[in-house]
Amino acid sequence: MNGLDRFGPLLEAWSGEHVVVRYDAPTGAWIFIAIHSSRRGVPTGGTRYRVYARPDDGLEDALKLAAAMTRKWAVVEMPRGGGKAVIAAPPDLERAARDGLLLRYGEIVDSMRGSFYTGPDLGTTSVDMDLLRRRTGYVSGHSKALGGAGDSAPFTALGIFFGMRACAEHAFGADKLAGLSVVVQGVGSVGVQLIELLKRASAIVVATDADREKLAQVEATGVEIVEPDAVYDQECDIFAPCAIGGVLDAATIARLRCRVVAGAANNPLAGPDDAKRLADRGILYAPDFVINAGGAIALVGMEHMSLSRMQVEDRLRGIGATLRSIFARAKAESITPEEAANRLAAENLAKPLEGREG
Ligand code: PHE
């Protein structure tokens, strides 16, 4: 089968270390484990399970996501490196076949002998992490029953929530979400948790998702819904991309009717010019790898740095503080918040490694 003809060009253009690739013959899935940087510690990142049009789309996603993990660990100053796994699965794999695929994937992670640590991401849950743990110990985010921290989604959502408050302060002058309208794109594990937090804070929530069934469940809880295609035209205060990446490009940014973009999705900007496009339209953008770091902070913090829940919550609140300083830096240096966050990540990456926690 073809579909990996961009393999060479993608790797040539990538700044990372290496990629472990496996074709899973029983299912026809491709597995990509992208190791971007081990400079600050063991490369650690979630496992994404998704159907792609072509296998090299999965590889491209893995490469970009792994690079984002390097920046994420650096901005939150956790002693980890960037890595990410993508399982590019065939559509409609039934349960037993999917489990088999995950178990074989777990064997590959185990064979890497601790040079890559993983956890949940889009398309995988704590239940899947429990399954992986039957084959390898290099997994975080497994259930509490098995000694893990459980799903990362509630922590990611809480970090987004604190981050949104910092955005609200910057854009609207008050550090609160009450009365603000928030459009949540994607009601996966993070999206639903975020919606709950927003409702409790008296924000006005509008949601969408390509998955009708999931959307109906959210609608049943009293949340207003919009068609997936109409989401960019929806007038609101905050647009929160919480699904796949690459959704904001020249065309969609031109349609946005919000003042802030702040959400959970990794790599929501399609290309390098999109941060500037948002800024030119007067839209405040919370860099994804800063605002969505809550899951990463919680899993590694609780499972590997013995942080308490309270300490983790303090660090999640710190996402708001980090964003405030990024917005201030962007203003002072006349750059986009994305560029300010990139500079912060690069500075932290360049610091000598001695004397760090962990
Ligand atoms: N997948 C989530 C992220 O991209 C959370 C996570 C981070 C899971 C690190 C495991 C390890 O941030």
Side-chain angles (χ1 to χ4, degrees):
M1 205 209 29
N2 217 326
L4 269 173
D5 35 293
R6 289 201 291 132
F7 195 107
L10 283 170
L11 280 175
E12 280 169 5
W14 190 53
S15 58
E17 292 172 13
H18 61 271
V19 186
V20 172
V21 182
R22 167 86 186 179
Y23 175 67
D24 184 67
T27 58
W30 283 88
I31 296 169
F32 304 104
I33 304 176
I35 303 299
H36 182 261
S37 167
S38 51
R39 166 152 176 86
R40 300 189 88 257
V42 178
T44 303
T47 296
R48 176 163 295 202
Y49 184 101
R50 211 191 131 187
V51 177
Y52 294 87
R54 301 157 53 86
D56 51 14
D57 294 338
L59 172 65
E60 184 174 23
D61 216 10
L63 300 181
K64 283 191 188 158
L65 290 163
M69 283 310 303
T70 299
R71 296 194 292 273
K72 194 178 302 188
W73 293 123
V75 287
V76 300
E77 298 199 70
M78 302 272 279
R80 293 276 154 165
K84 195 94 171 196
V86 162
I87 301 177
D92 305 321
L93 214 53
E94 53 174 74
R95 175 72 196 273
R98 184 180 182 278
D99 284 359
L101 167 59
L102 284 173
L103 289 171
R104 289 187 292 280
Y105 163 66
E107 283 166 17
I108 301 170
V109 172
D110 200 59
S111 76
M112 294 169 76
R113 300 199 192 184
S115 60
F116 172 64
Y117 257 87
T118 197
D121 192 66
L122 194 140
T124 59
T125 64
S126 202
V127 176
D128 297 322
M129 298 307 114
D130 285 358
L131 191 65
L132 292 182
R133 282 197 76 96
R134 292 206 217 148
R135 292 292 182 269
T136 181
Y138 306 120
V139 171
S140 297
H142 44 302
S143 64
K144 289 178 187 146
L146 291 186
D151 235 330
S152 53
F155 299 103
T156 308
L158 190 56
I160 305 290
F161 180 77
F162 288 131
M164 272 188 185
R165 283 178 39 183
C167 293
E169 185 182 343
H170 193 86
F172 309 112
D175 163 27
K176 58 177 171 55
L177 300 172
L180 296 186
S181 54
V182 184
V183 170
V184 178
Q185 180 189 44
V187 293
S189 47
V190 177
V192 290
Q193 301 273 350
L194 178 63
I195 288 172
E196 279 316 304
L197 293 170
L198 291 171
K199 284 203 282 189
R200 252 183 273 160
S202 306
I204 304 151
V205 185
V206 178
T208 196
D209 200 297
D211 184 329
R212 298 264 150 204
E213 225 169 280
K214 276 198 216 153
L215 197 56
Q217 281 169 19
V218 170
E219 189 177 20
T221 70
V223 172
E224 191 191 327
I225 60 162
V226 286
E227 286 296 310
D229 292 342
V231 75
Y232 306 106
D233 308 310
Q234 184 75 26
E235 191 168 352
C236 61
D237 294 307
I238 303 176
F239 175 67
C242 294
I244 54 168
V247 292
L248 295 175
D249 57 19
T252 54
I253 290 171
R255 287 163 62 188
L256 290 178
R257 297 168 72 198
C258 62
R259 287 282 307 282
V260 174
V261 170
N266 283 302
N267 306 329
L269 304 181
D273 302 328
D274 295 312
K276 181 78 170 47
R277 286 196 176 101
L278 285 169
D280 287 347
R281 288 215 48 215
I283 297 170
L284 181 70
Y285 174 65
D288 58 327
F289 58 92
V290 181
I291 195 169
N292 74 15
I297 291 171
L299 291 196
V300 167
M302 295 201 296
E303 292 181 15
H304 300 282
M305 291 163 68
S306 38
L307 299 187
S308 67
R309 236 202 110 93
M310 288 267 284
Q311 286 170 315
V312 166
E313 280 203 27
D314 279 346
R315 284 200 168 225
L316 298 188
R317 217 167 268 117
I319 288 175
T322 305
L323 279 174
R324 283 186 197 97
S325 69
I326 283 169
F327 295 147
R329 179 172 186 171
K331 197 168 175 215
E333 297 178 19
S334 302
I335 51 176
T336 62
E338 170 85 354
E339 182 52 26
N342 282 336
R343 287 185 187 177
L344 175 64
E347 282 159 13
N348 288 351
L349 266 167
K351 279 188 200 165
L353 291 166
E354 294 81 24
R356 281 224 190 86
E357 62 194 311

